[in-house]
Amino acid sequence: MPFVKEKFHVKQEMPAFLYVMRTFNYTQGEAQRLICKGRLLINGESIYNPGTRLQPGEVEIVHFQPEGTGVRPLFQNKDFMVFEKPSGVLVHPNTMSTPYSMLDEIRAISGDKANATHRIDMETSGLLLASKHKKAENFLKNAFEIKTIRKSYLAWVDGRLTEPFCVDQPIRINNDYSECKHKVFIDPAGKHAHTDFTPLRYDAKHDATLVACYPLTGRTHQIRVHLFHVKHPILGDPIYGTTFQTANAYLDDTLSKEERLIQTGAARLMLHAQTLRFSYGAEYFIESKVDFEGMIDMICPKEERCFNR
């Protein structure tokens, strides 16, 4: 388990945040966040005030201790790494009970200051850019924010597409899941979102098109909701393009593999982060080595699947 509870001995009185900073070589902000999450305990009770003065004696601290499996980056230098993230793996642990995430591999290689620099949905596979130190993290996160890092994706989608097209539709966060399980939806009051799409190959047996996707903005679930909007949802998407009941069963972890295959068209979300293009001293263009096109065998044949377009 990556999060461990470890005992430490405080030798002299000092503020809690300062003790955590010195013990783990954290910044003040990192130490304060750990304490505010209740991960510093005295006599088994969490304290939440970073300014609490610790007295000499024993404390317990819950902290992240990576358990890498030996996965090596596709590319690395002294500042950053690029991994091939598998589908079904989180980038960061979402709770302290998360058994494994890409952060395990990132920090097993480069230590506590290493971090992922952008988000990829758990079920999306492909390229993940991670920093090796805080200076690189700040630079790369800002580059994503100001859109100087360009990403492209591949997706297997339902139905036939033959011509390049774009979707320029605003996206809004959904705050009511009682009737729709979509995390976001198209809405005039939403934030500007633009994606360009280029069809690459149509497969008649599966009634599926391989599409290159070029997001010019970075909204949550942007590619997924834009393809759903044009009635060509990504195959295997358990949220967009399926029924409320199927989405609910997936979120409750009660949807069987067989039912998911029939209801969504694939055993996993058929979306893959294919390329990264950015500047960091030099110009970098990194392309995934995974044969995502060859994963078409994971798609349910068209006559066997049931879609709610």
Side-chain angles (χ1 to χ4, degrees), residues 54-275:
L54 300 183
Q55 301 301 316
E58 189 176 89
V59 298
E60 293 176 301
I61 299 175
V62 179
H63 62 101
F64 185 83
Q65 185 170 293
E67 295 181 1
T69 62
V71 173
R72 305 307 300 173
L74 174 66
F75 174 85
Q76 66 175 316
N77 59 20
K78 64 182 179 62
D79 298 307
F80 61 82
M81 305 171 278
V82 179
F83 289 88
E84 296 268 23
K85 187 187 89 66
S87 175
V89 176
L90 290 164
V91 172
H92 289 95
N94 55 10
T95 70
M96 286 196 293
S97 61
T98 299
Y100 174 77
S101 70
M102 290 305 299
L103 193 63
D104 284 283
E105 306 298 348
I106 293 166
R107 292 193 174 169
I109 292 172
S110 291
D112 288 344
K113 298 301 182 182
N115 204 7
T117 61
H118 59 118
R119 300 187 311 272
I120 300 181
D121 290 344
M122 180 181 74
E123 289 212 356
T124 302
S125 56
L127 300 183
L128 173 68
L129 180 58
S131 57
K132 287 189 171 184
H133 50 78
K134 286 296 178 183
K135 183 178 179 181
E137 179 181 353
N138 293 337
F139 179 91
L140 292 169
K141 284 185 173 180
N142 182 65
F144 276 110
E145 185 70 24
I146 64 176
K147 309 297 185 295
T148 57
I149 296 181
R150 292 297 185 189
K151 298 184 287 183
S152 78
Y153 292 76
L154 293 175
W156 279 107
V157 306
D158 179 50
R160 183 167 190 159
L161 288 164
T162 59
E163 299 295 329
F165 64 99
C166 71
V167 179
D168 194 333
Q169 293 289 337
I171 292 176
R172 184 178 179 184
I173 299 292
N174 182 15
N175 295 314
D176 180 6
Y177 294 99
S178 61
E179 296 184 2
C180 174
K181 293 295 181 179
H182 295 182
K183 188 170 185 178
V184 299
F185 56 92
I186 302 295
D187 188 274
K191 293 183 178 180
H192 172 245
H194 183 116
T195 315
D196 291 331
F197 297 98
T198 301
L200 302 176
R201 171 192 164 194
Y202 175 69
D203 184 280
K205 174 187 173 183
H206 296 88
D207 189 26
T209 303
L210 181 67
V211 180
C213 315
Y214 304 95
L216 302 187
T217 51
R219 308 303 175 203
T220 300
H221 291 183
Q222 176 174 315
I223 295 172
R224 295 167 68 177
V225 74
H226 274 174
L227 285 166
F228 170 72
H229 178 70
V230 297
K231 296 182 168 45
H232 290 279
I234 298 173
L235 290 159
D237 195 326
I239 305 296
Y240 303 90
T242 190
T243 65
F244 179 94
Q245 290 74 20
T246 299
N248 201 51
Y250 167 76
L251 293 170
D252 288 341
D253 199 23
T254 60
L255 185 67
S256 70
K257 292 181 180 179
E258 295 77 13
E259 192 67 16
R260 176 172 180 172
L261 194 63
I262 294 169
Q263 294 295 331
T264 72
R268 55 154 284 192
L269 178 68
M270 299 302 290
L271 181 63
H272 185 77
Q274 180 68 11
T275 68

